[in-house]
Structure formats: C-alpha cells, structure tokens
Amino acid sequence: MPRPIQATIHTAAVQHNLARARRAAVDANVWAVVKANAYGHGIERVFDALRAADGFALLDLAEAERIRQLGWRGPILLLEGVFEPRDLELCSRLGIWHSVHCDQQIDWLAAHKTQNPHHVFLKMNSGMNRLGFTPERYRAAWARLNALPQVDEIGFITHFSDADGPRGIHHQLQVFLEATRDLPGERTLSNSAATLLRGSESDVRGDWVRAGIVLYGSAPDYPQRTIADWELEPTMTLSGKLIGVQHLEKGDTVGYGSTYVAEGPMTIGVASCGYADGYPRHCSTGTPVLVNGVRTQLVGRVSMDMLTVDITGVPGTGIGSEVTFWGKASNGVVLPIDEVAQAAGTVGYELMCALAPRVPVVVD
Ligand SMILES: *Cc1c(COP(=O)(O)O)cnc(C)c1O
C-alpha cells in the first residue's frame, strides 16, 4: 500500500472562486493567473474549471504552450514579458500577449521579423520598484512601441505592492492614472486583493483584473479577513492518516529536540506527513490540524515524513484516522490553508506552491 498521503484538488471550488472574483469586478475581463503551475495545483487539473475566465496570465512560455495545447484559443499574457529575443517567435506563432517592462524588450521587438503583429502591455513601475518603466519614462517607451510595425496593440499594466495592507493602493493608482490618462488602450492594475477590496471602482478594476490567489481558496488579506468572509472555498486539501499512537505521561517529550513536554497524561497521534511533503517545518506546537474532521493541534517538531498531533479526547481516533493538514475534511470541516501558513510565518501562496512532488494528487 502506498504511503497514506495525498493532495486533492477541488475543481468545483476553483470554478466557484473564479465566479466570486468576477462578481467583485463586474464588467471587467478576468485574467486567471496560473503561474507556478496554477499555484501548485497543476494547470491541466484546473484548466476546465477556469474556462470561464477571459484569459490566462502566467510567466513561462512553456506553461503558455501547455494552455494552447489544452485547446485555449483566447488571450494568454506573459506577465514578465519575454526573456530573450527568440521568445518573440513563439509569442507571434501562438498569439501570446506579453508585457514590455524595459528598453531591451523594445529593442528585441524592433529587431524582430514577426509573422503576426504583437499585442503588448506596457508595464509601469508605479512605486513597487520591481519591473516596469517609471512614470517619467513611460510615455517615451509608449511612443517607441507605438511606432513599431511589429506592435499591433498596446495596453497598460501596473502592479500594487500593498493592495492587502494598510498602505493601500492610492499612491500607485494616482501615478498610473495620471501617466496613462490620454493614452488609448486597455488597462490592468488589480491583483486579487485590489479586486476583492476595491473592484467596485472602475478605475481600480480597469479593463482586466488579474485574479491569482483568490482562485485558489486563500484570502489575500488574511488575517483581516478569512476565506469564509470572502465566500471563497478551499481548492487544495492535503490529507493523510494516523500511522501511530502514543500514550504519554506528565513529563514525557515528543519528537526531535524534545520541544514539547506533556503536562499530564495525553494521547499523541503520529500522522503521515512531514516537511518532505511540503508541510512547513516552521509550524510548531499549536498549529491547527483536523483529525477525523475535528480540530486539534500539532505538538512538537515537524519531521521529514511525520508530524505529531494531540488526539487526547478526540473521539474515535486511532491508526487509520483521517488527518487533514489543510483544506477540507471528509465531514466538510474546513481548515483554511491561511491558518497553517500563518503558523509557519508565511502565506498560503507558498504552501500551495511548495507541495512536494512525492505527494500523489487527485482531482475531485
Ligand atoms: C502573481 C501576479 C498576480 C496575481 O496576484 P495575486 O495576489 O495572486 O492575485 C497579478 N499580477 C502580477 C503581475 C503577478 O505577478
């Protein structure tokens, strides 16, 4: 029998979450962001659930090709644009739109013998200082692109650094609106957080919103709001079983480093999941876990292949009991990935992307 661990991808939940994102930005088009293999879910596994999107946004040409192979004929956008001149050939052959964020990418376009003219999104660095032209240099870049026979349509793109936090988007929004005011073309500004929080404002939703994490059942502004608050459903469940049980007395310790010391008699379940499966080793005693769909907690350190949970007083538990590390238990109880991520000092994005290759994945 294979080791009892698996990840389950809930495609109906992905579909539900896409509809939720759309409701937040009525009348805008929605890019389904599927970079990093659909945030660890697998592009092929979620593709059907995301067919109702208006386009797919990602970073990697190989992933764009996979989407074309699945039969998608609509828009695909490379969020970071091309990485070398010959990428342009594939863009033109497969009709892939791409961001243009630096002069070099314009030079490559200008030198490119294209089959089909390119649809590009000119990227503005409106304050995040990652990719893009500064507002001062934006118009010159636009004029250069606009003069190229290789370029057909030019849209406008920027990215917010603080859509989920107290600083907010106002400062970047003003810069972007000001610098693009009289330029003709489509606009895309908002990630999941900006879409959920401010998608009702037409300037913020623009022509396209870029829905990433919202599709995958994690609240972009956790812990201010949870997936329940946003009416989102978990899309990935990581589950295993209890493979061992220990009865402890006061003073007994658990696991490497003896970091957990029993305060009295208790029962410990040993679950079939460790950091080599993608469960974060940074989680410590107190991290929530579901056993038979009942909430309890991790105790002691996470090992490579196992972790230990307190099952004292959890009814009917023993070897073979279902353990849910995040997602949804068989009885319908939900443990949001955000809670586990927070216990590890990270975000849901990282946990879903870090699901280990050795974990078998099933689709439901
Ligand atoms: C990843 C990414 C997104 C999606 O961000 P979420 O927070 O997951 O919604 C949007 N735009 C760009 C440029 C990105 O790289």
Side-chain angles (χ1 to χ4, degrees):
M1 187 189 152
R3 190 168 161 257
I5 182 162
Q6 78 178 28
T8 308
I9 305 301
H10 308 292
T11 54
V14 175
Q15 206 172 352
H16 166 95
N17 294 342
L18 172 62
R20 177 65 188 87
R22 198 180 274 295
R23 262 203 335 274
V26 175
D27 83 17
N29 289 318
V30 178
W31 292 111
V33 181
V34 293
K35 62 191 181 188
N37 199 22
Y39 290 47
H41 289 62
I43 287 175
E44 287 75 10
R45 294 187 193 104
V46 296
F47 175 72
D48 273 333
L50 293 175
R51 267 182 192 279
D54 300 289
F56 288 88
L58 38 69
L59 310 176
D60 193 323
L61 261 177
E63 290 187 334
E65 279 188 280
R66 278 161 62 193
I67 294 201
R68 284 282 181 253
Q69 274 158 16
L70 289 164
W72 180 255
R73 304 175 68 145
I76 299 179
L77 174 64
L78 292 181
L79 291 165
E80 295 179 352
V82 296
F83 300 107
E84 57 175 340
R86 66 169 181 193
D87 293 346
L88 291 168
E89 280 160 39
L90 209 52
C91 287
S92 117
R93 187 145 49 81
L94 297 177
I96 293 166
W97 305 0
H98 48 103
S99 289
V100 171
H101 64 76
C102 62
D103 285 309
Q104 198 115 40
Q105 288 177 328
I106 304 182
D107 296 342
W108 296 342
L109 266 168
H112 177 55
K113 298 198 176 29
T114 185
Q115 302 155 7
N116 301 303
H118 290 238
H119 190 142
V120 300
F121 276 79
L122 182 60
K123 178 114 176 186
M124 186 188 299
N125 170 13
S126 56
M128 186 168 190
N129 287 310
R130 222 168 49 172
L131 299 179
F133 293 92
T134 57
E136 300 71 44
R137 301 196 48 241
Y138 199 69
R139 253 154 213 279
W142 179 82
R144 255 195 96 192
L145 274 179
N146 195 41
L148 292 183
Q150 290 89 343
V151 173
D152 185 11
E153 288 208 40
I154 310 174
F156 308 101
I157 181 168
T158 196
H159 193 55
F160 297 130
S161 59
D162 290 75
D164 55 335
R167 192 177 181 200
I169 63 173
H170 181 78
H171 60 296
Q172 288 184 267
L173 182 64
Q174 291 318 306
V175 164
F176 181 79
L177 293 177
E178 174 67 28
T180 57
R181 193 190 331 232
D182 53 354
L183 296 176
E186 293 188 322
R187 280 132 173 88
T188 176
L189 306 78
S190 291
N191 59 0
S192 298
T195 301
L196 287 178
L197 287 158
R198 296 190 50 181
S200 59
E201 299 163 51
S202 64
D203 280 347
V204 174
R205 68 178 177 268
D207 300 287
W208 290 84
V209 295
R210 306 190 300 274
I213 197 69
V214 63
L215 303 177
Y216 306 104
S218 164
D221 59 344
Y222 186 84
Q224 279 74 44
R225 286 182 195 77
T226 64
I227 53 169
D229 295 334
W230 286 121
E231 298 171 354
L232 298 170
E233 292 175 5
T235 59
M236 179 191 283
T237 293
L238 180 64
S239 61
K241 288 183 175 173
L242 292 186
I243 59 168
V245 172
Q246 300 293 340
H247 300 282
L248 309 187
E249 298 301 330
K250 180 174 162 53
D252 286 345
T253 63
V254 180
Y256 286 120
S258 302
T259 58
Y260 183 77
V261 183
E263 286 169 5
M266 66 186 296
T267 310
I268 295 297
V270 182
S272 57
C273 178
Y275 60 79
D277 300 301
Y279 191 95
R281 188 177 172 276
H282 282 98
C283 285
S284 54
T285 298
T287 305
V289 182
L290 306 177
V291 180
N292 280 348
V294 176
R295 223 176 144 96
T296 179
Q297 57 162 351
L298 183 93
V299 291
R301 274 196 197 147
V302 175
S303 306
M304 184 186 283
D305 312 300
M306 287 176 267
L307 57 77
T308 37
V309 297
D310 182 0
I311 54 169
T312 314
V314 183
T317 50
I319 289 186
S321 291
E322 175 194 69
V323 186
T324 307
F325 306 101
W326 61 70
K328 196 157 86 169
S330 303
N331 68 353
V333 172
V334 169
L335 172 55
I337 197 169
D338 297 324
E339 287 191 42
V340 182
Q342 191 186 43
T346 184
V347 287
Y349 298 75
E350 188 180 4
L351 267 51
M352 49 184 85
C353 290
L355 183 72
R358 80 171 184 182
V359 177
V361 181
V362 300
V363 174
D364 86 348

